[in-house]
Amino acid sequence: MRVKEFVVGLFPILTWIKTYDTQMAIGDIIAGITIALTLIPQSIAYASLSGFAPQYGLYSSFIGPIIYAFIGTCAQINMGPAAILSLLTFSYTNGTNIDFAILLTFFSGVVQLVAGIGQLGFLVEFISLPVVSGFTSAAAILIATSQVKDLLGLRFSSDSFLTTWYQFFVHLPEARLYDSLLSLGCCCFLFAMKSLKDLKIKINTQDESGRRKAKRVKKTLWFISIARNATCVALATVFAYLVYEDIENPFLLTGDIPPGLPAVIPPPFETTVGNTTYSTGQMISHLGSGIIVLPLVALLGNIAVVKVFSQGKKIDATQEIIAIGVCNLVSSFFQSMVVNGPFSRSAVSQASGVRTPGSGIYTGILVILTLLLLTPYFYFIPKAVLASVIVCAVVQMVDVAIVKKLWRYSRLDLFTLFGTLLLSLCVGMEVGLIAGVGIDALLLLYYHSRPPLDVLYVDNGILPAHYAIYPVGGLYFAGAEWLRNKLIAVQHPPTTTTDGVESQPTAPTTKILVIYCDALHRFDYTFLDSIRMLVSDWSKTGRVIWCDTREPIKNQLKGVLTNPIFCEKSQLRAHMVPSTES
Amino acid sequence: MRVKEFVVGLFPILTWIKTYDTQMAIGDIIAGITIALTLIPQSIAYASLSGFAPQYGLYSSFIGPIIYAFIGTCAQINMGPAAILSLLTFSYTNGTNIDFAILLTFFSGVVQLVAGIGQLGFLVEFISLPVVSGFTSAAAILIATSQVKDLLGLRFSSDSFLTTWYQFFVHLPEARLYDSLLSLGCCCFLFAMKSLKDLKIKINTQDESGRRKAKRVKKTLWFISIARNATCVALATVFAYLVYEDIENPFLLTGDIPPGLPAVIPPPFETTVGNTTYSTGQMISHLGSGIIVLPLVALLGNIAVVKVFSQGKKIDATQEIIAIGVCNLVSSFFQSMVVNGPFSRSAVSQASGVRTPGSGIYTGILVILTLLLLTPYFYFIPKAVLASVIVCAVVQMVDVAIVKKLWRYSRLDLFTLFGTLLLSLCVGMEVGLIAGVGIDALLLLYYHSRPPLDVLYVDNGILPAHYAIYPVGGLYFAGAEWLRNKLIAVQHPPTTTTDGVESQPTAPTTKILVIYCDALHRFDYTFLDSIRMLVSDWSKTGRVIWCDTREPIKNQLKGVLTNPIFCEKSQLRAHMVPSTES
């Protein structure tokens, strides 16, 4: 029984296949086809974004969805190349060859599999929304930046955000007229098609047939809108083919793509770039932090998608991480780049009425057919149209709305957002991501250096006059100085110096301090040590009473204090009146 | 009146000089002389630790204490070179010349002054005790490591912890017999003298004269113990002088020290090392992070000392930071290395009965006299004795006791301790320090990913059956997944699958969730966003009531939720029964 459960856990298809019917199959087929229409042009474009030949985009797009159908848990996820991953792949493999990208896929799979089996998924929880938002926006800006030269048909090489823009303006006079015009046309077309699905249609919806008609028109418009990338690429390609013979070489074209499926071979653990041969170790050292950053970013994307579409149901994060790991691992045998299921395609999938992860099989078959039948026609795809597809896809990734939200509800988070954004743009994506987590952690430290506690003077007649502290949560070293200053202010109230003569303090002079610990869960060592100093100081003339202390805290205090006074709230009065021996 | 207060604040001497009497002067003079006896041999030794000629140690030891007498607030602090600072100076100026060290002093002063005026002292609060302990222990180990070759008279150069030990064992056969014997002798002497002050003396303390005699003997032993460095260096120097003519060159000696005070000149903003001329910019870029790390570490040491000796009185951290900044700034005009007031000398100062910062003036005068009169005799100071002085001084800096304490009271802090220690040793002191703060911050994040909250089922007859959450403190993004899982577990209790048929959940089915917010002080944006999802999900079938919510939290919730239900504890019952329209 346990074995069966385990196997079903590993292959979620075994759960949903039992109830799979025509209705579900139709939903999946429609979604599968729709996704393929989005995925195929995107994958060719993302391959060029990574700096590799277009076929590698297609190679990355069929095995992932098919495998995910068997082991994935989320119907909306569509495995394949993604904008951010392609950008990261470019930055880690720039100046090398496709072997590095394939090895990166292999190691990403291994790292994800290890993370899944080792239950390390919780690490993703340390990445907050402002970090994700800053990181994604930076990626979108960087991707758009990398494409501006292709939009205008410019040719130059550059490696950083600032130098790209500098080079862009230097080379601007060399812009190719026809490429620029084509890009402009494609971008306008894509934006127009995108807004098609939001179009208000005036159809009489009084009677049943009218309503049905309205629904049908709406659905058609939506489909045209979703298929805009494929339509745009197809139209531009036909156009490029037609004018190819009229005008001599008007557009920069994609060029030859070898037809057919990729050879199934183990990932390359050795390669030669120019005259240099790289051993496995040298390849790994060249990929460097990419071996951690890419799988992490890929995971991050998938987990975010799964959360959004889980609709309040419990998600099996471990299985998801294992699934993406297996997809990458197997894909690396098919000469694939790193894959995940980006949000943009998941949204299309959801809108197409997807029912199970099985839709990936239909998508996969369409990509395979494309590779077998359509590649000869891809020769004429203008590079400008691919750049247009990428730019129009990533522009919506820049998250401007969050700035207003953070300003209104949590301003401290703006530091995280802009820190991540700027460092990602100017220093590097991986630096931005890690620094974002660091900024979050430092803000948490900062917040804990001003813990929400006050030393209150209580004289309400119920209990003898005393000072009271109500600490909440944990008290950490960063807050020690804060508490120290509060207590000193109570013990030595500020005196105004008038011509050298100090006036007498007028504050109450009770020497009883009650610390209500019922909402206190933890001290760290540094705070404990400063408590030791504070309490021994206060105890010289007064008494410190720990009220309603939890067991772990009690043990910590017993360790550092001599004879601490613990009591429950009900016994407080008895402990506030000093007994004779103390 | 305000101007006068401000001036008195800047020159604390104006406060204590008014009541300065013979009694205080005697205390300060004794302490000043005692400190000088510790400081003079230490400063020569620390100069050699930094890799510079001995006179620079002395140059660093007179102007600091004198200036601090006027602007310092803590009687126990003695400005001068310190072991950790010397080690750091070495690591940042290795392979250059003294001009770099002097410029480093200048910039340290500037940075400290800016930090003081800009009220940035709170940054020190972010450095926890385990980080300080790990950092200090690593420094002690590194310093001792750097001295082992001098102990045995070996000559080799190495730059890291591991290579030093490797080189040490390679060069061990070249050990110089006489130097090694001298080192052994000096170390034994120093340890013996150190334990002298803890000696139990058997004197009849029955009568008054006996007690007075015992006290006098104790005091004498203590003084001999404190003067051990000076005695040891003096004895070894005389010995080296005597045998110099008998045996040909038995010890490696300090060599010529130019007599007299340093020239008062501005810090060098340009210098030549070998054939290379460095401009100001190049010098700054060579010093790199040292310009931040050294002043920070110097500050850290001083603030720790001030805290220990403040005895529960409020400390003026800003004035202290300004004081150390001014000391370094002015010192840099006297060709000084970076100075601070290390704990070891402060303890001596305290034990000598120091009364005011004025004792620094006496110390300073003694150092000046040393520079004017004694430098010719320093030629014969064997290098081995200086190495012995350093090693015996730093051995006690390794903090072993804290490991046991952390294990017992706060195990998580052990990560911080050993992380800081190992990174400081193996990668670099500054990396260790910064990584320590990072580890602390990540541990805080980790702790907040498991916040102390539970979803409780309450059915006590007083209120209708409901689920209750009592969050404390702040809820941060890292804990969002935790709460999500808790809530999902309540909504979808685990069902045991028996042969594909799911058994019915048996958990209570109330749909009311009350969140008691009286101890809740903050959400961050990520948590707020996940609350939005959780609550909208729960609200589909049930209701979420926010009880006793504070105003800032209320505003945050109003921003993201549609019609949240707020109430006070007393109105809870009314809100738990759904009204008709909802």
Side-chain angles (χ1 to χ4, degrees), chain B residues 259-575:
Chain B
L261 297 178
V264 184
I265 45 171
F269 289 100
E270 220 179 77
T271 189
T272 306
V273 181
N275 293 324
T276 321
T277 303
Y278 288 85
S279 67
T280 311
Q282 286 166 326
M283 287 180 84
I284 292 175
S285 112
H286 186 93
L287 293 173
S289 63
I291 287 174
I292 302 297
V293 171
L294 260 104
L296 179 70
V297 171
L299 264 187
L300 199 62
N302 264 39
I303 289 184
V305 169
V306 173
K307 265 191 205 164
V308 166
F309 291 110
S310 69
Q311 317 252 25
K313 277 179 304 229
K314 192 168 168 59
I315 60 177
D316 185 350
T318 302
Q319 175 64 20
E320 262 312 307
I321 297 170
I322 291 176
I324 186 175
V326 171
C327 285
N328 273 309
L329 203 56
V330 176
S331 291
S332 71
F333 286 78
F334 290 80
Q335 302 178 43
S336 159
M337 302 187 298
V338 182
V339 296
N340 81 341
F343 189 80
S344 56
R345 287 203 297 273
S346 300
V348 171
S349 204
Q350 167 77 356
S352 316
V354 72
R355 300 292 294 273
T356 74
S359 74
I361 294 175
Y362 309 114
T363 307
I365 291 171
L366 283 175
V367 176
I368 291 174
L369 290 176
T370 305
L371 272 167
L372 293 175
L373 306 174
L374 294 182
T375 44
Y377 309 105
F378 288 173
Y379 180 90
F380 290 100
I381 300 178
K383 286 192 170 179
V385 70
L386 293 180
S388 305
V389 166
I390 295 175
V391 169
C392 293
V394 298
V395 158
Q396 66 196 30
M397 276 164 53
V398 179
D399 189 357
V400 180
I402 196 173
V403 177
K404 197 175 157 196
K405 284 189 207 157
L406 292 185
W407 177 257
R408 284 174 63 184
Y409 307 127
S410 186
R411 273 172 219 183
L412 227 47
D413 280 341
L414 284 171
F415 282 104
T416 316
L417 178 73
F418 284 109
T420 309
L421 180 70
L422 291 177
L423 286 171
S424 298
L425 276 185
C426 301
V427 186
M429 293 293 289
E430 70 287 0
V431 176
L433 185 67
I434 291 158
V437 177
I439 294 170
D440 264 333
L442 287 180
L443 286 178
L444 201 57
L445 261 190
Y446 173 77
Y447 188 73
H448 279 283
S449 72
R450 279 123 188 78
L453 61 84
D454 249 319
V455 183
L456 305 168
Y457 180 67
V458 181
D459 188 8
N460 53 10
I462 302 168
L463 287 172
H466 64 283
Y467 287 106
I469 301 180
Y470 293 87
V472 291
L475 283 174
Y476 301 93
F477 63 90
E481 200 55 25
W482 175 268
L483 180 60
R484 181 190 158 88
N485 288 337
K486 292 260 175 196
L487 276 180
I488 286 174
V490 163
Q491 287 176 288
H492 308 276
T495 51
T496 40
T497 322
T498 317
D499 207 7
V501 182
E502 298 207 338
S503 69
Q504 286 302 305
T506 55
T509 52
T510 172
K511 291 293 182 189
I512 301 170
L513 174 66
V514 181
I515 302 174
Y516 293 90
C517 303
D518 48 333
L520 188 60
H521 291 261
R522 191 181 172 239
F523 291 122
D524 70 350
Y525 178 72
T526 312
F527 204 98
L528 205 58
D529 190 68
S530 79
I531 280 179
R532 184 180 55 75
M533 289 200 280
L534 290 173
V535 168
S536 81
D537 198 50
W538 186 285
S539 300
K540 274 179 207 151
T541 54
R543 47 171 50 212
V544 178
I545 301 168
W546 303 87
C547 183
D548 285 342
T549 320
R550 281 155 198 269
E551 215 44 53
I553 299 275
K554 219 179 238 184
N555 288 336
Q556 286 190 314
L557 290 173
K558 275 180 194 162
V560 294
L561 300 177
T562 42
N563 302 321
I565 308 169
F566 297 110
C567 76
E568 286 174 29
K569 221 170 247 148
S570 55
Q571 315 159 335
L572 210 43
R573 168 174 289 278
H575 283 86

Side-chain angles (χ1 to χ4, degrees), chain A residues 54-128:
Chain A
Q55 66 268 28
Y56 292 108
L58 293 167
Y59 293 171
S60 311
S61 304
F62 67 91
I63 193 72
I66 292 175
I67 292 179
Y68 190 82
F70 291 89
I71 55 176
T73 62
C74 176
Q76 288 81 3
I77 286 223
N78 168 258
M79 286 286 169
I84 298 186
L85 295 181
S86 302
L87 176 73
L88 286 173
T89 301
F90 173 74
S91 78
Y92 282 108
T93 63
N94 189 11
T96 64
N97 61 18
I98 186 71
D99 287 346
F100 280 85
I102 297 170
L103 195 67
L104 191 54
T105 308
F106 174 76
F107 281 116
S108 294
V110 171
V111 168
Q112 286 163 343
L113 211 54
V114 168
I117 294 167
Q119 309 269 333
L120 298 179
F122 76 91
L123 288 177
V124 172
E125 293 165 29
F126 286 180
I127 301 174
S128 70

Side-chain angles (χ1 to χ4, degrees), chain A residues 468-483:
Chain A
I469 301 180
Y470 294 86
V472 290
L475 283 173
Y476 301 92
F477 62 91
E481 199 57 25
W482 176 267
L483 179 60

